[in-house]
Amino acid sequence: MTEITEKRQNDRSGDAMERAEVRDSQYSMDRLSVAFETSARRWELIVYPSLFAFILLAAYGFYLIFSLAKDVHFLALSVDKNMSVMSSNIMTMTDSVGQLSANVRTMAVSVDSMAQDVRTLEPMLTSMDSMEESMKAMTVSTHYIQRDMRGMNNNMHDVSRPITMWNSFVPW
């Protein structure tokens, strides 16, 4: 009997130890659970507002990107309209530059023609030089005629007194 009682006592002491270990592990688990819950509460105080702020910022970012995409769409439409108008204006300007180029070519031909006409006028220029000399000679001659006429006029006054006397003798 002693063996059996010893065994029972050993079993009881083993059971008691097991129970003590189970109690210790339950206590440890309870402490871990409480620590985890307090840690989770702390994290909830940080994570949930952060998550809310992130969702709010993400929604605002989506709104900004959507607005930017819409503005870029309107900008693209405006640029497309302006490009078509500018394209037609450039085509008109190209035509005008072509006409201007043709007009400049015509002017160049006309200037060449004028240069040839001026070369044909060079002999006339020498004739004009001799004509200028002739005009100077004529001016000098006219001056002499004027001087002689003035002298004759003065002489007529001097002669007119004796002739008036002669006129009294002539019967007619």
Side-chain angles (χ1 to χ4, degrees):
M1 257 218 117
T2 50
E3 281 184 23
I4 295 178
T5 38
E6 267 182 35
K7 231 182 195 186
R8 281 187 188 164
Q9 280 180 356
N10 281 342
D11 283 339
R12 282 186 199 153
S13 67
D15 282 342
M17 281 173 95
E18 272 183 32
R19 275 188 247 149
E21 284 178 15
V22 167
R23 259 189 267 134
D24 282 344
S25 71
Q26 281 180 352
Y27 177 71
S28 294
M29 288 300 262
D30 284 342
R31 272 187 43 201
L32 179 67
S33 173
V34 168
F36 184 74
E37 285 178 11
T38 35
S39 175
R41 279 190 209 122
R42 275 189 229 138
W43 278 105
E44 286 174 0
L45 289 175
I46 294 171
V47 169
Y48 287 143
S50 300
L51 185 63
F52 178 73
F54 176 76
I55 290 171
L56 189 66
L57 288 174
Y60 184 66
F62 176 77
Y63 169 75
L64 287 177
I65 291 171
F66 180 75
S67 297
L68 180 65
K70 190 168 63 171
D71 290 344
V72 167
H73 173 72
F74 288 132
L75 180 67
L77 290 176
S78 174
V79 166
D80 185 42
K81 286 179 190 175
N82 290 338
M83 282 298 174
S84 63
V85 169
M86 194 165 73
S87 172
S88 66
N89 288 345
I90 286 176
M91 289 173 64
T92 304
M93 191 172 76
T94 302
D95 293 340
S96 297
V97 167
Q99 290 174 354
L100 179 69
S101 177
N103 289 343
V104 167
R105 276 190 221 111
T106 304
M107 282 174 49
V109 168
S110 296
V111 167
D112 285 342
S113 171
M114 285 171 55
Q116 289 175 354
D117 290 344
V118 167
R119 279 188 220 116
T120 59
L121 292 176
E122 285 178 9
M124 254 173 97
L125 187 59
T126 58
S127 297
M128 297 240 342
D129 285 341
S130 68
M131 194 164 98
E132 181 183 359
E133 293 298 321
S134 298
M135 285 296 287
K136 284 180 186 176
M138 285 172 53
T139 304
V140 168
S141 297
T142 306
H143 174 69
Y144 288 144
I145 290 172
Q146 178 188 8
R147 190 188 71 195
D148 291 342
M149 287 297 286
R150 190 177 331 120
M152 280 176 56
N153 193 15
N154 286 335
N155 288 337
M156 286 301 261
H157 284 294
D158 292 339
V159 173
S160 70
R161 212 179 246 166
I163 289 182
T164 55
M165 194 172 109
W166 183 262
N167 278 339
S168 65
F169 292 118
V170 177
W172 61 91

